[in-house]
Amino acid sequence: MFFASDNWAGAHPNIASGLSAHAGGFSTAYGDGALDQAVCQRFSEIFEREVAVFFVATGTAANSLSLTAYNKPGGISFAHRESHVIEDECGAPEYFSGGSRLHAVDGALGRIDPHNLETAIGRFAGEVVHWGRPMAVSITQSTEVGTVYGLHDIAAISAIARQHSVPLHMDGARFANALVALDTTPAEMTWKSGVDILSFGGTKNGCWCAEAIVLFDLERARELAFLRKRAAQLFSKSRFIAAQFEAYFRDGLWLDTARHANAMAARLAAAIEDSQTAKLAWLPQANEVFAVMKKAEADRLQAAGAVFYDWHKPHGFEGHIGEDELLYRFVTSFATTSEEVDRFGQLIAG
């Protein structure tokens, strides 16, 4: 019953086979091999337009270099207060950009409130030299609390970014989970809704180690190539990243794994709703589930083999958490089985 994180899951067998298939022989290094080029072309097909693709090692690298691609002296990027770029990247975006800042924006359950964003950017819109100036907006899809921005939400935030002449970045560590939740296309959820640059994650959804920056603004591609190299993110044997993405996209595997993870999250949420010992904090939209329960009950479940974490109360959460209770996060993945979800459901049935 491993619900700690989708990072805990291994690699999908098809991904592992893809790596093995390309393990031998020789290939041009540094992203210039035939497989690298074919996978980059596949990204363009998926997004229905020409895109520039840059493989990197981690989501933190993807996010940091994406924002650095639009760096300017005194630059300020705006992100949700509980976003990964603000809370979980140890200052990497500021480090890679050489001193830009991140400005926290509030919004209920992980999503930026457009009114709050307008107010936040407006504070710096005059580009007063003492205060700094807007540089980018970043949204997380799906969010850190398992919610999803709808297409209209993305478009509304993009309109504000456009009004202030700053790009919109999407942190898509769980991109596929959000995509299948909305039942839309990669193009509709990104550039057609106003996204300029995307951190495209595969690691959480069945890959071994596969992250990419997808750049829709092709004029910045040359500069980003130099930024990636300077940041030590240019792989010599990049074919092994390409091999993962090749298998990831083949026959829609990436969408199937995401649908499965989301379905397991919905199954887990239903079990929690039926429980007498836990209560669902809010309805999940992707593959993260949050529940409120007594600490003693959580200890009992963990002792029985369930793996999950306590979590901080997010902005905008209006539910009640008692003095002897905590909020807990459960994450499902491509490797989560219905049997382990049902076993957990039996434990919390009460």
Side-chain angles (χ1 to χ4, degrees):
M1 297 177 287
F2 289 96
F3 307 118
S5 175
D6 34 14
N7 280 327
W8 283 43
H12 190 280
N14 291 14
I15 304 294
S17 295
L19 280 166
S20 296
H22 293 280
F26 293 83
S27 177
T28 308
Y30 299 111
D32 292 328
L35 180 61
D36 302 273
Q37 294 174 8
V39 169
C40 288
Q41 178 58 37
R42 183 71 181 112
F43 269 96
S44 292
E45 294 168 0
I46 286 170
F47 284 96
E48 302 175 38
R49 59 172 287 175
E50 183 181 358
V51 297
V53 181
F54 300 85
F55 301 149
V56 294
T58 67
T60 293
N63 289 338
S64 300
L65 290 176
S66 291
L67 295 178
T68 301
Y70 292 90
N71 188 32
K72 60 179 70 171
I76 301 168
S77 296
F78 300 84
H80 192 275
R81 181 173 302 281
E82 293 145 359
S83 65
H84 203 275
V85 295
I86 287 182
E87 288 208 338
D88 295 290
E89 291 179 352
C90 196
E94 296 96 326
Y95 175 78
F96 277 95
S97 64
S100 70
R101 288 180 288 161
L102 295 171
H103 188 87
V105 182
D106 286 327
L109 297 181
R111 291 171 293 213
I112 289 176
D113 180 281
H115 174 74
N116 292 341
L117 177 63
E118 180 65 67
T119 301
I121 298 182
R123 176 183 169 189
F124 301 96
E127 296 199 0
V128 176
V129 70
H130 302 290
W131 302 344
R133 52 184 173 166
M135 185 177 94
V137 175
S138 178
I139 59 174
T140 308
Q141 182 76 325
S142 58
T143 74
E144 295 300 305
V145 294
T147 54
V148 171
Y149 288 90
L151 299 185
H152 292 298
D153 300 324
I154 300 170
I157 290 173
S158 173
I160 297 170
R162 290 283 183 275
Q163 178 185 343
H164 293 279
S165 301
V166 296
L168 178 59
H169 163 251
M170 177 180 285
D171 175 357
R174 295 184 174 95
F175 183 86
N177 300 97
L179 189 71
V180 299
L182 292 177
D183 191 24
T184 188
T185 68
E188 292 290 346
M189 201 170 78
T190 54
W191 63 272
K192 288 186 178 182
S193 294
V195 174
D196 297 285
I197 190 167
L198 164 70
S199 298
F200 184 94
T203 304
K204 294 180 185 294
N205 192 37
C207 290
W208 168 71
C209 176
E211 305 290 317
I213 299 168
V214 179
L215 183 60
F216 305 106
D217 179 4
L218 297 181
E219 292 182 359
R220 294 198 176 254
R222 179 168 172 78
E223 290 300 311
L224 186 50
F226 280 90
L227 288 171
R228 178 177 63 166
K229 174 63 176 180
R230 190 180 67 175
Q233 289 294 315
L234 177 59
F235 289 86
S236 60
K237 296 184 179 180
S238 64
R239 60 171 156 155
F240 293 114
I241 306 298
Q244 293 175 74
F245 279 129
E246 181 194 48
Y248 190 57
F249 294 139
R250 189 186 303 130
D251 298 326
L253 175 66
W254 67 301
L255 302 177
D256 291 340
T257 50
R259 288 191 188 99
H260 176 81
N262 288 8
M264 292 299 98
R267 190 183 188 103
L268 180 60
I272 292 171
E273 283 191 301
D274 291 340
S275 169
Q276 299 299 312
T277 61
K279 54 188 176 184
L280 195 64
W282 55 85
L283 288 175
Q285 293 180 283
N287 67 317
E288 296 175 274
V289 181
F290 292 80
V292 176
M293 68 180 78
K294 293 183 178 180
K295 187 177 184 306
E297 173 65 3
D299 291 342
R300 181 184 73 85
L301 295 170
Q302 290 167 339
V307 184
F308 56 92
Y309 291 129
D310 60 284
W311 205 255
H312 55 271
K313 184 173 71 172
H315 180 84
F317 173 61
E318 298 178 350
H320 176 71
I321 300 178
E323 289 186 6
D324 59 346
E325 294 179 324
L326 289 172
L327 180 67
Y328 294 91
R329 186 188 77 159
F330 303 81
V331 188
T332 54
S333 73
F334 79 93
T336 303
T337 65
S338 57
E339 289 77 14
E340 64 182 311
V341 172
D342 293 346
R343 189 161 71 251
F344 183 82
Q346 293 170 0
L347 288 173
I348 62 173

